C-alpha cells in the first residue's frame, strides 16, 4: 500500500472565493483513504527515532476512532516496527472500523479504563514495554511538530496571506507556525470545547522566534465538543461536497470549513487575502456515523 505524498493538489474553492478573497485547500486527505494526512506527517520523525535507537516498536494512546492510532499502526507496519495501542475504555463487543484497520496493520491493542488512562506512566511498567518508544496521544511533541512543519514544503508560502487549520493537540499548527513568514497569519480552529490551555501546549512547542508569528486559536466552532456534531454541520458538509466535490470529516475538517466559510461571510478577512486551508484528512472518523447521513 503506497502513500501519495508528493503529488497532493491545492484545490481552489470557488464558493469560498468571494468578497475579494481567494481560498484554496491543500488536500492532505488524499495521502491515503485511512491514514489521515496530518498524522502521517506528525509521525515521520518518531518513526525515524524508533529506528535510530533500535526500538522494538512504538506504543501510543487514543480512543476507538483515533486517526492517530490507525496511522501509527500503518506507519510501524511499513517500517517493520511493532506497534501497541492503549485504547481508552472497555473492549467493545465489536471493534470500531478504525481499530479493525489498526489490528490489520499488526497493532496490539490494550483496552484500559479511563482511570488507568489518566495514569499513563503506570501503564508502561504494567505492560512491561521497555525498549519501546512511547508517543503521546495524537503525536503531541516537538518531533511531531517538526514532522508537521514539513507539510509547508507542499505549497509556496508567499502565495498565501493566511493559513487555516484544525487544532486538536496543537501539534500540527505548531509546525505550520514554525515555518510561517512574518507577514502571514495562521488561524487554528479548535475541535475541542473551551480547550483554552491549548495556547500553552502550542507555545511549549515554539521557540521565542516562532512566537513572534501572528497566530491565533478560535474556539467558536466546536459544535458541542470533540467529535460532537449537529444537523447544521452535517448539512454544511453535504453542501460543500456537492458544490466543491470536497469530502470533510465531522471531527476536524468539517468544522474548519464551516468556520472559514462563516469568517469569509462576515468579512473577517481583508480584501485581497489569499487563504490556504489545510485539509488534514481524517475521513475515516466519519465511520462512527450511521449510514446515509453523508452523501459521500
Ligand atoms: C489529529 C487531527 C487533527 C489535529 O491535529 P493536532 O496536531 O492534534 O492539532 C486535525 N485534523 C485531522 C484530520 C486529524 O486527524
Amino acid at each position: 500500500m503506497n502513500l501519495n505524498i508528493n503529488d497532493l493538489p491545492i484545490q481552489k474553492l470557488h464558493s469560498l472565493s468571494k468578497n475579494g478573497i481567494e481560498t484554496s485547500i491543500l488536500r492532505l486527505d488524499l495521502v491515503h483513504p485511512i491514514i489521515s494526512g496530518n498524522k502521517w506527517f506528525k509521525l515521520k520523525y518518531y518513526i525515524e527515532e524508533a529506528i535510530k535507537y533500535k526500538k522494538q516498536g512504538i506504543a501510543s494512546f487514543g480512543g476507538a476512532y483515533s486517526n492517530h492510532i490507525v496511522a501509527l499502526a500503518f506507519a510501524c507496519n511499513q517500517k517493520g516496527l511493532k506497534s501497541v495501542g492503549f485504547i481508552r475504555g472497555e473492549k467493545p463487543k465489536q471493534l470500531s472500523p478504525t481499530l479493525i484497520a489498526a489490528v490489520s496493520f499488526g497493532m496490539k491493542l490494550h483496552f484500559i479504563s479511563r482511570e488507568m488512562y489518566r495514569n499513563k506512566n503506570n501503564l508502561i511498567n504494567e505492560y512491561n514495554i521497555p525498549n519501546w518508544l512511547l508517543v503521546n496521544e495524537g503525536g503531541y511533541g516537538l518531533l511531531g511538530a517538526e514532522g508537521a512543519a514539513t507539510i509547508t514544503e507542499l505549497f509556496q508560502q508567499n502565495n498565501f496571506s493566511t493559513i487555516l487549520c484544525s487544532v486538536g493537540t496543537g501539534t500540527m499548527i505548531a509546525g505550520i507556525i514554525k515555518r510561517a513568514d512574518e507577514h502571514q497569519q495562521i488561524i487554528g480552529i479548535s475541535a475541542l470545547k473551551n480547550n483554552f490551555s491549548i495556547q500553552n501546549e502550542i507555545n511549549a512547542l515554539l521557540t521565542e522566534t516562532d512566537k513572534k508569528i501572528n497566530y491565533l486559536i478560535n474556539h467558536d466552532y466546536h459544535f458541542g465538543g470533540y467529535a460532537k456534531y449537529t444537523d447544521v454541520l452535517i448539512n454544511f458538509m453535504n453542501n460543500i461536497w456537492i458544490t466543491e466535490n470536497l469530502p470533510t470529516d465531522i471531527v476536524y475538517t468539517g468544522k474548519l470549513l464551516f468556520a472559514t466559510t462563516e469568517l469569509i461571510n462576515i468579512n473577517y478577512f481583508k480584501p485581497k487575502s489569499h487563504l490556504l486551508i489545510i485539509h488534514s484528512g481524517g475521513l475515516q472518523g466519519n465511520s462512527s456515523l450511521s449510514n446515509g447521513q453523508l452523501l459521500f
Side-chain angles (χ1 to χ4, degrees), residues 152-167:
T152 62
E153 292 164 14
L154 303 173
F155 57 88
Q156 285 284 328
Q157 284 287 15
N158 53 16
N159 286 354
F160 302 102
S161 58
T162 311
I163 300 175
L164 297 110
C165 68
S166 177
V167 173

Side-chain angles (χ1 to χ4, degrees), residues 73-249:
F74 176 84
C76 287
N77 185 270
Q78 288 239 313
K79 298 292 180 182
L81 292 163
K82 293 183 183 167
S83 62
V84 161
F86 289 108
I87 310 302
R88 188 176 50 232
E90 298 265 296
K91 182 172 184 184
K93 287 212 178 64
Q94 193 154 23
L95 288 184
S96 66
T98 311
L99 295 182
I100 290 173
V103 169
S104 80
F105 298 132
M107 180 174 264
K108 194 161 164 34
L109 303 179
H110 294 295
F111 290 87
I112 55 179
S113 68
R114 279 159 205 276
E115 195 195 356
M116 288 223 346
Y117 197 86
R118 278 191 287 272
N119 294 309
K120 295 192 174 84
N121 283 333
N122 294 345
L123 287 171
I124 298 153
N125 301 328
E126 177 146 342
Y127 287 90
N128 192 19
I129 49 171
N131 204 30
W132 282 64
L133 181 70
L134 207 68
V135 170
N136 289 326
E137 184 166 4
Y140 176 81
L142 253 187
L143 284 179
E146 286 298 341
T150 64
I151 292 172
T152 62
E153 292 164 14
L154 303 173
F155 57 88
Q156 285 284 328
Q157 284 287 15
N158 53 16
N159 286 354
F160 302 102
S161 58
T162 311
I163 300 175
L164 297 110
C165 68
S166 177
V167 173
T169 64
T171 311
M172 170 170 58
I173 198 169
I176 307 286
I177 292 166
K178 284 177 177 299
R179 295 291 180 279
D181 284 349
E182 55 198 9
H183 64 84
Q184 286 177 318
Q185 183 178 32
I186 315 298
I187 299 178
I189 305 298
S190 178
L192 283 73
K193 184 177 178 178
N194 296 344
N195 186 27
F196 302 117
S197 63
I198 190 74
Q199 195 68 53
N200 299 332
E201 279 138 31
I202 293 169
N203 280 337
L205 303 176
L206 300 178
T207 65
E208 290 309 312
T209 318
D210 297 336
K211 287 181 200 162
K212 295 197 179 115
I213 294 295
N214 175 11
Y215 77 93
L216 64 87
I217 308 301
N218 175 306
H219 296 274
D220 297 339
Y221 296 96
H222 55 73
F223 286 84
Y226 184 72
K228 300 249 169 34
Y229 57 92
T230 64
D231 288 346
V232 171
L233 182 66
I234 299 283
N235 287 340
F236 172 82
M237 289 166 62
N238 281 331
N239 240 328
I240 200 122
W241 166 251
I242 293 168
T243 52
E244 302 286 357
N245 202 19
L246 183 72
T248 52
D249 78 288

Side-chain angles (χ1 to χ4, degrees), residues 36-39 42 67-68 138 148 166-173 198 226 249 252-253 279-283:
S36 186
N38 86 335
K39 295 299 180 290
K42 287 198 288 186
N67 294 327
H68 165 65
S166 177
V167 173
T169 64
T171 311
M172 170 170 58
I173 198 169
I198 190 74
Y226 184 72
D249 78 288
Y252 298 105
T253 57
H279 192 317
S280 36
L283 300 176

